[in-house]
Amino acid sequence: ELQKMQVPPTTIKIDENIAGRHYQQEAIKKVAEWIENKKREFLLVMATWTGKTRTAMWLIDIMIKSKQAQKVLFLTDRTALRDQAYDDGFSVYFKSTPKTKIETWKTDENARLFSATYQTMINYLDEFSSWFFDLIIIDEVHRSIYGEWKAILDHFDAIKVWLTATPL
């Protein structure tokens, strides 16, 4: 059903209120092109304080507007980063979109935007089907690509965008 309504993500106009820096826009344009070419995993390496979260919010915006994603997970390694994604990202740029923080297995499944820590998701992974999320943004991926957190990445069959300031 969702696929019938999809439009190419490259056709969605850039909202410069979300990501106005030229390198942020270039990164998202490239990811949008690759998504159209059926790629599903992306690594964005951006230095600290260059706007990884805002870049991710813009990607979420075009993925929702192009009908490429219904449910989005923003995954972090710390509660403070989870709250930042929710408070400074979701709540600012997606005011009317249903959103929730995953803190227990009882979560609002009607939400479209979810933020969670690796620690929470690993505990409740079995509560979510492999296809629950269409897009997953993984912040600080250099901390999750190995070890027990890798199970989260392996569990979900979604478009995955890995963010890091630390080259892998």
Side-chain angles (χ1 to χ4, degrees):
E1 188 67 30
L2 181 63
Q3 289 179 336
K4 291 178 187 174
M5 300 174 11
Q6 290 177 343
V7 298
T10 56
T11 64
I12 303 301
K13 185 178 181 320
I14 294 171
D15 184 344
E16 292 187 14
N17 293 319
I18 299 176
R21 297 177 186 162
H22 73 282
Y23 59 84
Q24 294 168 327
Q25 293 176 9
E26 287 303 313
I28 296 308
K29 284 179 186 176
K30 270 296 183 210
V31 171
E33 286 173 20
W34 291 331
I35 288 170
E36 285 179 27
N37 288 318
K38 308 297 183 209
K39 304 275 189 261
R40 297 182 49 82
E41 293 187 355
F42 310 93
L43 173 63
L44 295 179
V45 180
M46 298 171 67
T48 302
W49 297 108
T50 58
K52 287 186 291 296
T53 301
R54 286 179 71 131
T55 302
M57 293 301 140
W58 189 71
L59 177 62
I60 293 167
D61 184 56
I62 67 161
M63 292 296 286
I64 289 173
K65 287 177 178 173
S66 67
K67 309 285 191 271
Q68 300 283 330
Q70 285 285 329
K71 295 196 184 259
V72 177
L73 171 63
F74 197 101
L75 194 57
T76 67
D77 68 330
R78 295 188 304 276
T79 303
L81 291 176
R82 180 206 63 199
D83 293 347
Q84 177 187 12
Y86 187 92
D87 298 336
D88 300 339
F90 294 167
S91 294
V92 172
Y93 302 113
F94 305 100
K95 289 180 173 65
S96 62
T97 304
K99 60 191 93 27
T100 191
K101 294 177 188 176
I102 298 173
E103 297 177 287
T104 70
W105 68 271
K106 290 183 180 184
T107 190
D108 180 2
E109 291 190 16
N110 294 316
R112 294 190 64 198
L113 303 173
F114 298 78
S115 62
T117 62
Y118 301 143
Q119 295 86 343
T120 300
M121 283 307 293
I122 202 76
N123 289 329
Y124 302 111
L125 205 51
D126 292 338
E127 303 298 325
F128 296 91
S129 76
S130 295
W131 304 279
F132 189 81
F133 299 107
D134 304 299
L135 173 65
I136 301 175
I137 309 289
I138 305 109
D139 198 16
E140 304 290 351
V141 73
H142 61 279
R143 297 186 183 153
S144 66
I145 202 162
Y146 307 106
E148 71 175 303
W149 309 133
K150 187 175 182 313
I152 299 168
L153 305 180
D154 292 343
H155 178 76
F156 291 109
D157 182 17
I159 294 172
K160 297 172 185 143
V161 179
W162 303 345
L163 306 174
T164 187
T166 306
L168 301 175

